[in-house]
Amino acid sequence: MNTELVHKVTQAFQEKFGSEPLIISSPGRINIIGEHTDYNEGFVFPAAIDKGIIAAIGKSSSPNCTAFALDAQETYEFALDAIEPITNGNWKNFVVGVVGELQKKGIVVQPFDVVFAGDLPKGAGLSSSAALENSIVFGLNELFQLNLTKHEMIAISQKAEHNYVGVRCGIMDQYASMFGVEDSALLLDCRAQESKSYKLDFKEYGIMLINTNVSHNLVDAEYNDRRHVCEKVANLLKIDFLRDATEEGLKAIEDQLTPVEYQKALYVLQENERVLNSGKAIENDDLDALGQLLFEAHDGAQHQFKISCPELDFLVEQAKMHPQVKGARMMGGGFGGCTINIVHRDAMDSYATDISEKYLKTYGKHCSIYKVKLSQGTHLIQN
Ligand code: GLA
C-alpha cells in the first residue's frame, strides 16, 4: 500500500471538509491472458496490483456532494437530484455514474464528499477507471451501510462505465479490482462471475510490464466495434454469447461473414482456450507452455482481433528474440498501453535497459518499465 498517498489524500480531505473520512484502497489490475473474452462471457486471468486509487470519503454537511481529484486539482460539486452523464466529463463520469446507477436501483444516496488520488500511470491499460468506480461504490456502501455484496458493487461500477463513460466493457477490470487476492491471479469465468485463485510463483522468473506510452482510449469506437462484431456473429449462430460457439459452428456460417469478422470471432474462441490452458500450465509449473500461450495470444490480438499497434508488436518481437523472456503479449483493451512479459529475474534490469534504448531509437519516445506486486482487492484501510 502506498502510505504516502494515503496520508496525502487523508490530509486533503481533512483540510477541505474538516472531518474524518473513511479511507478506501482500490487497486488497478494486470491480466495474465484473455483479452476481449469477458464480454463474450468467456474466461480471463487478471490480478489486482499494488497500485491504484486511494479515496477518502465522508458524509457531507451541505445538501450537495463535492468530489476533489487531487492529482488533477479539480473540484466538482453536484446535486443528487440531477445526476446525468457529463460530456467530456472525464473522471467526473466515474463518480456520478456510480451514484446514478445506485439511484437507478432505488438506493437513496445521501450527500457525501470524496477526495481521491492514484499511483497508476495514466492510459497504461491498468484499469484506473475500474479502481476509481470501485472505490466510490465501496466507499458509499460503507458510509451509508447499503449492504451491497461485492458482486452487486461491481455490477454498479460496470454500468457506470457503460452508461456514463460510454464504454461497453466486460466485467474483468471491476472484478479483478474488487476481488483481488494477494500474490495471486484469478482465473475468472465471466458467465458465472466466479474465480479460482492461483498463487503465482514463477520462481526465478517474474512479471515485468513495459508501457508503450501510447495512450489507449477505450471510448475510441474501436472497443465498442469489437463487441459489436462478436454480438453479430453470436446472433448468426443463434446463441447469446460467443462463449457457446464452436469452431465447427463458426465454420458453418463462414460465408455469411467477412474474413475479418470470421477471424475476430475465431480469435475469441481460441483465446478462451488459451486462458484455460494457461491455468493448466500454471498448475503443472510449466512456464514454457505459459510463455508460448502468451506469444500466441499476442499473435491473435495483432492479426485476428486487430487490437494491437506497432509499438506493442515491436515490444513483443523483441521479447521473442530474448532467451530469458518466456512470453510476452499486449495487455488490456489494446491500441496502446503495456505489454506483460515473463522475464528471468537476473535479466530484468539488463532487459529493461536494452529494450528502453531500442524503443527510444525506433520510436523517438520513451517506454516505461513497471514491476508490480499482486495484491488484495478493494478494501477499507482506515475508519
Ligand atoms: C478493457 C475492458 C475489459 C476487457 C479488456 C479487454 O480493459 O474494460 O472489460 O474487455 O479491455 O480484455
Side-chain angles (χ1 to χ4, degrees):
M1 188 203 317
N2 186 333
T3 45
E4 203 181 306
L5 198 61
V6 172
H7 182 70
K8 225 174 70 175
V9 171
T10 311
Q11 204 175 28
F13 187 97
Q14 288 162 338
E15 277 167 16
K16 231 174 148 57
F17 304 111
S19 58
E20 285 305 318
L22 299 179
I23 307 292
I24 315 294
S25 168
S26 191
R29 63 106 189 89
I30 57 167
N31 185 22
I32 305 298
I33 193 164
E35 301 301 356
H36 289 256
T37 42
D38 59 351
Y39 55 78
N40 290 297
E41 294 206 341
F43 301 93
V44 291
F45 213 156
I49 56 173
D50 59 340
K51 292 185 197 302
I53 296 282
I54 301 291
I57 192 163
K59 293 181 182 166
S60 172
S61 49
S62 94
N64 285 345
C65 299
T66 304
F68 179 49
L70 192 57
D71 299 323
Q73 290 286 307
E74 279 175 18
T75 305
Y76 182 57
E77 198 183 319
F78 57 97
L80 284 162
D81 58 0
I83 300 290
E84 275 184 359
I86 305 156
T87 313
N88 297 324
N90 207 335
W91 63 268
K92 300 180 190 91
N93 276 322
F94 299 113
V95 179
V96 297
V98 164
V99 175
E101 291 300 330
L102 284 168
Q103 289 176 336
K104 274 190 208 164
K105 271 178 79 89
I107 294 168
V108 179
V109 179
Q110 306 286 331
F112 68 93
D113 298 316
V114 64
V115 174
F116 70 89
D119 56 1
L120 286 167
K122 300 266 167 316
L126 300 175
S127 293
S128 53
S129 36
L132 178 55
E133 290 150 5
N134 279 354
S135 75
I136 302 295
V137 72
F138 193 95
L140 292 174
N141 188 51
E142 288 290 324
L143 197 61
F144 299 119
Q145 300 292 308
L146 303 178
N147 290 320
L148 295 169
T149 63
K150 286 184 173 185
H151 278 96
E152 286 169 327
M153 287 192 264
I154 61 170
I156 300 271
S157 291
Q158 184 192 25
K159 285 188 190 136
E161 187 115 0
H162 286 197
N163 300 329
Y164 287 77
V165 185
V167 181
R168 296 178 63 217
C169 64
I171 200 66
M172 169 168 73
D173 305 350
Q174 290 79 7
Y175 189 101
S177 167
M178 184 66 76
F179 287 92
V181 176
E182 202 163 282
D183 297 325
S184 307
L186 309 174
L187 203 167
L188 169 62
D189 176 338
C190 298
R191 170 165 289 167
Q193 290 199 20
E194 279 169 8
S195 59
K196 180 174 172 197
S197 102
Y198 284 70
K199 227 180 171 59
L200 284 201
D201 178 8
F202 295 156
K203 315 248 165 29
E204 63 272 31
Y205 283 81
I207 291 175
M208 185 169 130
L209 305 180
I210 310 178
N211 188 357
T212 56
N213 289 319
V214 175
S215 183
H216 73 127
N217 182 0
L218 286 183
V219 187
D220 202 354
E222 298 285 2
Y223 184 91
N224 290 341
D225 167 77
R226 295 307 181 278
R227 185 161 182 163
H228 179 75
V229 171
C230 294
E231 285 167 354
K232 178 184 165 180
V233 178
N235 265 333
L236 286 168
L237 287 167
K238 299 190 174 46
I239 52 176
D240 289 334
F241 294 96
L242 283 186
R243 151 81 172 257
D244 300 312
T246 58
E247 290 203 24
E248 299 73 51
L250 192 59
K251 196 89 200 135
I253 60 155
E254 192 176 359
D255 57 351
Q256 298 173 57
L257 301 170
T258 65
V260 170
E261 288 168 341
Y262 179 80
Q263 284 305 324
K264 282 183 179 156
L266 184 61
Y267 159 84
V268 173
L269 269 60
Q270 294 173 339
E271 183 79 347
N272 273 330
E273 271 308 306
R274 284 191 283 266
V275 176
L276 297 176
N277 288 336
S278 297
K280 288 180 201 143
I282 292 173
E283 275 164 22
N284 297 337
D285 262 331
D286 190 347
L287 211 50
D288 287 328
L290 181 66
Q292 191 50 36
L293 287 162
L294 260 63
F295 283 132
E296 285 169 18
H298 185 81
D299 200 64
Q302 179 183 355
H303 299 293
Q304 293 174 283
F305 212 61
K306 298 192 187 299
I307 48 171
S308 189
C309 67
E311 291 88 343
L312 287 167
D313 299 339
F314 173 84
L315 292 176
V316 173
E317 283 312 312
Q318 293 298 317
K320 274 185 194 160
M321 288 188 287
H322 198 292
Q324 280 174 306
V325 182
K326 288 277 184 202
R329 63 172 200 88
M330 56 142 280
M331 192 181 74
F335 310 104
C338 298
T339 59
I340 178 168
N341 304 261
I342 303 176
V343 186
H344 197 291
R345 293 184 197 281
D346 293 346
M348 275 192 182
D349 289 342
S350 64
Y351 186 54
T353 313
D354 183 48
I355 199 86
S356 301
E357 276 169 19
K358 287 192 176 126
Y359 190 81
L360 180 61
K361 218 167 137 198
T362 311
Y363 292 105
K365 62 187 170 211
H366 293 279
C367 61
S368 310
I369 313 279
Y370 316 121
K371 289 175 197 162
V372 289
K373 216 181 115 23
L374 309 188
S375 309
Q376 80 178 108
T378 310
H379 62 285
L380 186 67
I381 49 175
Q382 199 173 301
N383 226 328

